Amino acid sequence: MTVLLILLALGLLIAGAWAGLSVLVLAPLLAALAALAAGEPVLAAYTQVFMAAAGGFVVSFFPLFLLGALFGKVMDASGAARILASAIATAVGPANALLAVVLACAVLTYGGVSLFVVAFVAWPLARALFAETGLPARLIPATIALGAFTFTMTALPGTPSIQNAIPMATFGTTPFAAPGLGVIAAAAMLGLGMVWLLYRARVLAGDTPPQMHPSPPRNVPMPLWAALVPILSVAAVTLAMGWVVLPALETEYLALPLYGGTDLGRVGGLWSVIAALTIALVLALVLGRPPQMMKTLNDGAESALLPLFNTASLVGFGAVIASLPGFEVLRQSLDGLSGGNVVVTAALSSSALAGITGSASGGMSIALDVLGPSLLEQAMAQGVDPALLHRVVSVATGGLDTLPHNGAVITLLGICGMTHRQAYGDIFMVAVLAPTLACVLIMGLGMALGAF
């Protein structure tokens, strides 16, 4: 019965998000209703489970959301993001407008720009290219989603995304875990997504192109190299921190209770990404010199709050669901489907929770909080490299997370002025189905060949 409650709560969350209700309201309300229906103490479920999980997520990952939002806002305000996107579109050519938008989004997100910012930046570029080439406007959200929500978020090694950072603390890995499998997963997502978009463009040929509007004025354009350097620095600094700087430091103090009784292996990956985004932000400020710098930084800081608290609210919802008796039944069913294979267990559990919460980072946080230690123990017992679990969990959560109640989907559709009914079907194909198939592919390769 409680399993049905979980499914009902998920269905109501999706329906509410489809109708346009904020997950900040929906998530705690539905969590409370689910707890009440399951016979659990509602107030305790809210204050001790929901808020504890939501607050823990904010405490752990606030720096990444803040730095990512600041960096993205500076890149946008200085015109650097638009210069990069336009340069890629010019290089690829108008005839390849779909690929141009995808690659522009991919470069920006892999460089550390928040996908929410990328959506705002890519919309005017996509609108112009689609109008010029006669492509159907309803494909714009899916095209942006393919470039920003998929392979650069979970698969490409070294990406500074939160989804690539969370597994590092549990598995003691780096942002470059299982790089070969990550590249293969990324290629599969990009390939499958482009096949679908090109097919749909042919089917929908003749749809009315989007209405053109003048772009807002920008400051004097900077040279391309100045726009590119901050992006390139993210990967370079992440590598340098992980391979050179951090290993040379004395970090025995991390074992003290004051610092959580941890070690460099648990926090080194997160430190690397924080350092990389900080340096990229400084470079973007120095080279881009955005107008009204103080206002830009203030706006960037404020823009971090909505995605952070949306995700935290979904994490709280998922934590309440995970505390219900029916969740244990659901977890045992997933374990049964996995046949005891730790790779399959990790993928199924993290994917299911990402779907329940509508958030890759939220679902991953709950899955690793609840199952992380046991997954690591099973991996050691089965001779599975933790790097394989890192990459599989990351890619697995980047599929079902993009259901209709996902905050990024709702934001993207709002930016493009479209409804779920108009555009979500294509988003599902490129950002749910393609990543899921890519995950199955690397799971098979990883179990057969190990992490590489």
Side-chain angles (χ1 to χ4, degrees):
M1 180 56 132
T2 47
V3 173
L4 293 178
L5 285 176
I6 292 173
L7 297 177
L8 177 60
L10 174 59
L12 290 173
L13 186 61
I14 292 174
W18 190 289
L21 295 176
S22 170
V23 296
L24 290 174
V25 176
L26 276 173
L29 175 61
L30 291 175
L33 290 176
L36 178 65
E40 302 294 322
V42 175
L43 289 176
Y46 178 68
T47 62
Q48 307 307 114
V49 181
F50 183 98
M51 287 306 303
F57 184 86
V58 172
V59 167
S60 296
F61 300 109
F62 174 69
L64 294 188
F65 277 84
L66 176 62
L67 289 169
L70 287 171
F71 178 54
K73 183 62 71 173
V74 170
M75 291 288 287
D76 183 27
S78 67
R82 186 176 296 272
I83 288 169
L84 285 172
S86 297
I88 293 168
T90 300
V92 174
N96 299 302
L98 288 167
L99 181 60
V101 174
V102 170
L103 293 180
C105 294
V107 169
L108 292 171
T109 49
Y110 187 67
V113 180
S114 163
L115 59 86
F116 291 91
V117 173
V118 170
F120 280 103
V121 171
W123 159 239
L125 171 73
R127 182 181 56 195
L129 285 173
F130 276 50
E132 180 181 345
T133 57
L135 286 168
R138 63 189 295 179
L139 288 183
I140 292 178
T143 306
I144 295 174
L146 176 59
F149 297 2
T150 61
F151 57 96
T152 56
M153 185 179 80
T154 63
L156 281 182
T159 178
S161 70
I162 189 73
Q163 293 81 5
N164 194 38
I166 292 173
M168 296 188 297
T170 300
F171 300 127
T173 48
T174 74
F176 294 88
L181 291 173
V183 170
I184 290 171
M189 292 183 211
L190 176 59
L192 290 171
M194 285 304 304
V195 167
W196 177 258
L197 290 176
L198 291 169
Y199 162 73
R200 287 287 287 164
R202 291 194 299 270
V203 170
L204 297 173
D207 267 22
T208 304
Q211 181 68 34
M212 291 295 294
H213 299 284
S215 297
R218 296 278 172 168
N219 58 320
V220 178
M222 68 181 70
L224 178 59
W225 68 266
L228 192 58
V229 165
I231 292 287
L232 296 178
S233 74
V234 176
V237 174
T238 301
L239 279 172
M241 289 292 294
W243 292 356
V244 179
V245 177
L246 293 181
L249 299 178
E250 297 291 335
T251 57
E252 289 79 5
Y253 61 84
L254 288 172
L256 297 173
L258 176 63
Y259 301 107
T262 187
D263 56 56
L264 185 61
R266 299 286 183 182
V267 300
L270 186 60
W271 286 5
S272 296
V273 177
I274 289 175
L277 287 175
T278 300
I279 292 173
L281 173 60
V282 172
L283 288 171
L285 286 168
V286 172
L287 297 174
R289 290 175 295 176
Q292 299 180 298
M293 186 177 296
M294 191 67 71
K295 182 179 186 302
T296 297
L297 291 174
N298 288 340
D299 289 346
E302 292 177 5
S303 71
L305 298 180
L306 184 59
L308 172 62
F309 281 96
N310 273 341
T311 305
S313 189
L314 290 168
V315 168
F317 170 80
V320 172
I321 295 299
S323 71
L324 300 180
F327 182 78
E328 180 59 24
V329 176
L330 184 60
R331 190 187 69 79
Q332 291 175 0
S333 299
L334 294 175
D335 284 344
L337 290 174
S338 73
N341 186 297
V342 67
V343 176
V344 180
T345 298
L348 289 177
S349 58
S350 56
S351 180
L353 280 163
I356 289 172
T357 61
S359 166
S361 53
M364 189 188 304
S365 293
I366 297 169
L368 295 183
D369 284 346
V370 175
L371 304 173
S374 64
L375 289 175
L376 194 55
E377 288 179 11
Q378 291 178 56
M380 296 296 101
Q382 296 178 20
V384 173
D385 189 338
L388 174 59
L389 291 186
H390 174 133
R391 190 54 56 208
V392 166
V393 166
S394 183
V395 173
T397 54
L400 292 183
D401 71 308
T402 320
L403 290 176
H405 58 303
N406 175 272
V409 168
I410 294 169
T411 300
L412 175 60
L413 291 174
I415 291 168
C416 296
M418 297 183 196
T419 66
H420 281 79
R421 189 180 303 277
Q422 290 173 309
Y424 181 75
D426 296 303
I427 294 175
F428 177 88
M429 295 300 292
V430 303
V432 177
L433 183 59
T436 300
L437 294 176
C439 184
V440 172
L441 173 61
I442 65 166
M443 285 169 59
L445 291 173
M447 289 187 287
L449 305 174
F452 61 90

